[in-house]
Amino acid sequence: MPVLPTFITDPLWEQFQALLPERNITHPLGCHRPRIPDRVVFDKLLARLVLGGTYQQHADESCSATTMRARRDEWIRAGVFEQLHHLALEAYDQAVGLDLHDLVVDGCIVKAPCGGENTGRSPVDRGKSGLKRSVLVDGGGIPVGWVLAGANRNDSPLLRPTLETLAVLGFRLPEAITVHLDAGYDSAGTRELLAELGCTPNITPRGTFLPINRTHRWVVERTNSWHNRGFATLAKVTDRRGIVQNAWVALASAIIIIRRLVRQSWIRYRWDGRPARCP
């Protein structure tokens, strides 16, 4: 049984395959073992992203754990995961449109029992090793950028690098941008930073309780839930290297964007073969 519906995996693989670097390796004696197809490895990595677990648990006679890790690193060096996320954002922006007038940033702490880069003592898990994702989403909750850091890092110092991920994408920004933040960002430094960037702050005051549905921050909470509940590898990080951690977040975010793109397109457009019900 596939770990994801075909209406996600098929377009995801077609674009992923187009980004793979060309390989023209031949053995002089013609006696090397045949290379395992990229699609087989890709499906294995998707299974690990969704279901979690070790590489050995997903390995079988069709693909070993060593091959999964080697091919993963090969694709990371080629920048395939980041490009896939950027292309998914561009496709969503063209078909539906990113809501960049309202940006929301929030941090999310997850378990990282194996330690490694971007980890630290978690203040919400009895000091165990944890990782924090500072996530930037648009007004509709589409994951635009993120920064990984130790669970013991405060949210406020991560705000600038998180917002700077938007500039890397190269989108044309609107003149008026409102940044929605929770009480953890309520400081003079945060307001000075947003004024420097030309953004209007909408920060929940410290000591004030506001239900999440009374603010615009609920979209980032929903995105964090999509990351953690839909992808076990993001809820419990066991990879120790930062580049691998970023690759998993990029792949998961691309899947989220494709799912939203398909559902929004079903509402807005008509095309041949359009399903009778929204997938």
Side-chain angles (χ1 to χ4, degrees):
M1 181 178 180
V3 295
L4 290 172
T6 55
F7 74 86
I8 294 178
T9 55
D10 288 348
L12 183 70
W13 166 247
E14 289 181 6
Q15 184 59 73
F16 193 90
Q17 185 181 28
L19 296 173
L20 295 180
E22 296 183 1
R23 294 181 58 89
N24 187 17
I25 299 177
T26 57
H27 195 279
L29 301 179
C31 58
H32 65 291
R33 296 179 60 185
R35 178 180 170 89
I36 295 177
D38 290 330
R39 181 60 191 268
V40 174
V41 182
F42 179 76
D43 289 341
K44 291 292 185 182
L45 293 179
L46 274 185
R48 183 179 185 271
L49 172 64
V50 175
L51 303 177
T54 65
Y55 292 93
Q56 287 78 8
Q57 289 174 327
H58 294 279
D60 54 23
E61 65 278 358
S62 65
C63 180
S64 68
T66 302
T67 300
M68 293 168 58
R69 288 190 290 265
R71 203 72 59 89
R72 174 207 65 190
D73 293 341
E74 175 186 327
W75 295 341
I76 289 175
R77 288 192 297 269
V80 176
F81 295 99
E82 289 78 8
Q83 295 178 55
L84 183 68
H85 173 245
H86 293 174
L87 290 173
L89 279 175
E90 292 178 0
Y92 186 91
D93 190 37
Q94 293 177 4
V96 180
L98 291 170
D99 181 10
L100 300 179
H101 291 87
D102 291 288
L103 301 178
V104 193
V105 180
D106 196 16
C108 175
I109 297 177
V110 297
K111 296 178 180 294
C114 297
E117 300 175 5
N118 301 320
T119 61
R121 292 173 57 86
S122 175
V124 297
D125 194 19
R126 297 172 292 173
K128 296 180 180 180
S129 179
L131 178 145
K132 174 175 286 189
R133 287 193 310 269
S134 179
V135 181
L136 167 67
V137 303
D138 77 332
I142 298 299
V144 177
W146 57 87
V147 171
L148 304 183
N152 56 336
R153 292 286 302 278
N154 192 274
D155 288 334
S156 295
L158 300 177
L159 180 59
R160 179 185 288 274
T162 304
L163 291 174
E164 288 177 348
T165 60
L166 183 62
V168 176
L169 299 176
F171 287 106
R172 184 175 181 179
L173 301 179
E175 295 183 0
I177 299 177
T178 302
V179 180
H180 303 266
L181 304 167
D182 63 16
Y185 298 88
D186 187 13
S187 66
T190 298
R191 290 181 171 83
E192 292 175 0
L193 170 62
L194 295 179
E196 174 189 341
L197 299 177
C199 300
T200 302
N202 183 9
I203 307 175
T204 302
R206 290 182 182 271
T208 303
F209 173 75
L210 289 177
I212 190 67
N213 58 352
R214 296 288 300 275
T215 69
H216 200 76
R217 293 186 297 102
W218 68 272
V219 292
V220 72
E221 302 292 350
R222 181 183 63 177
T223 302
N224 286 330
S225 177
W226 286 341
H227 275 142
N228 293 333
R229 296 177 66 88
F231 308 98
T233 296
L234 301 189
K236 186 177 182 181
V237 179
T238 55
D239 294 281
R240 295 175 54 85
R241 291 189 294 157
I243 57 174
V244 179
Q245 299 163 1
N246 271 294
W248 287 124
V249 180
L251 181 56
S253 298
I255 293 172
I256 291 173
I257 296 170
I258 292 174
R259 185 189 296 270
R260 295 295 297 170
L261 175 59
V262 172
R263 294 189 174 183
Q264 290 296 321
S265 298
W266 187 89
I267 298 173
R268 297 166 182 256
Y269 303 107
R270 298 291 186 271
W271 65 88
D272 294 338
R274 177 178 178 269
R277 297 181 58 185
C278 182

